[in-house]
C-alpha cells in the first residue's frame, strides 16, 4: 500500500513539474533571448515586432506596426501603473492606469492612438525598436521584471 502511494505521489510531482515548465513564457521567435527575473509578478514580455514591416515612412500606421507585448501569465490582475518599458537607447514608456487581467496581454505600440485594454500607445513620432535591441520591463519600484534581446547573434 505504501509503495503504491509513493508511486502516485511521484507521478503527481512529475506532472506538476512538467506543467510548470510548459507555463513558462516563450520568446516570439528563435532570435529572441529572454532573461526572466525572479519576482512575485507573473508579468513577462511576449512577442515583439521590431522594425515595422513595409516602408519606414514614419507614418502613424508604420509606427504602430512596431510593438512589444506585455503578458500577465498569472490568474490575478496586476496594475502596471508606474511600470516602465525601455529600449537600450533609453527610450522609456511609463504605463498609466493600465490593469492587466489574469491571463491577458497588452501591446505597447510606438505611435499615436487611444489606449484600450488590448493596446496602449507611446505617442512617439519616431521608431524605437531597432533590429539589434533590448526591451526591459521594470515594475513601479524600478526593479527589472523581464528583458528580451534580439539581433545580437543569439541563436536561441
Amino acid at each position: 500500500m505504501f509503495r503504491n502511494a509513493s508511486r502516485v505521489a511521484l507521478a503527481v510531482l512529475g506532472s506538476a513539474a512538467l506543467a510548470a515548465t510548459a507555463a513558462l513564457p516563450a520568446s516570439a521567435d528563435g532570435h529572441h533571448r529572454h532573461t526572466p527575473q525572479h519576482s512575485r509578478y507573473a508579468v513577462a514580455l511576449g512577442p515583439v515586432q521590431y522594425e515595422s514591416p513595409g516602408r519606414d515612412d514614419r507614418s502613424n500606421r508604420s509606427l504602430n506596426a512596431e510593438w512589444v507585448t506585455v503578458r500577465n501569465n498569472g490568474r490575478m490582475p496586476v496594475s502596471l501603473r508606474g511600470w516602465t518599458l525601455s529600449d537600450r537607447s533609453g527610450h522609456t514608456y511609463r504605463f498609466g492606469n493600465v490593469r492587466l487581467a489574469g491571463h491577458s496581454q497588452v501591446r505597447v505600440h510606438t505611435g499615436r492612438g487611444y489606449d484600450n485594454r488590448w493596446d496602449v500607445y507611446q505617442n512617439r513620432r519616431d521608431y524605437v525598436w531597432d533590429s539589434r535591441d533590448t526591451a526591459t520591463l521594470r515594475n513601479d519600484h524600478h526593479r527589472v521584471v523581464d528583458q528580451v534581446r534580439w539581433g545580437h547573434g543569439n541563436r536561441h
Side-chain angles (χ1 to χ4, degrees), residues 47-151:
V48 174
Q49 174 60 60
Y50 56 88
E51 289 195 339
S52 68
R55 281 186 11 187
D56 287 347
D57 58 7
R58 291 189 182 169
S59 68
N60 196 49
R61 175 180 285 183
S62 180
L63 290 167
N64 282 330
E66 179 180 87
W67 44 260
V68 175
T69 306
V70 178
R71 292 181 169 172
N72 180 358
N73 297 309
R75 290 183 302 131
M76 301 301 293
V78 175
S79 171
L80 298 182
R81 179 183 284 282
W83 288 42
T84 59
L85 177 65
S86 59
D87 72 344
R88 70 183 175 138
S89 298
H91 298 103
T92 301
Y93 170 74
R94 182 173 301 278
F95 287 88
N97 193 23
V98 176
R99 183 176 170 93
L100 270 181
H103 302 290
S104 68
Q105 65 183 26
V106 65
R107 277 189 180 170
V108 181
H109 297 272
T110 300
R112 297 175 310 278
Y114 295 101
D115 294 351
N116 59 53
R117 64 191 286 192
W118 301 281
D119 301 281
V120 295
Y121 299 85
Q122 297 187 52
N123 295 317
R124 295 186 181 274
R125 297 182 190 275
D126 203 0
Y127 300 98
V128 173
W129 308 108
D130 300 325
S131 61
R132 293 175 50 108
D133 215 337
T134 303
T136 303
L137 180 67
R138 294 178 186 272
N139 66 18
D140 54 345
H141 298 291
H142 310 291
R143 292 189 182 101
V144 174
V145 174
D146 197 11
Q147 272 187 332
V148 178
R149 282 180 54 163
W150 59 87

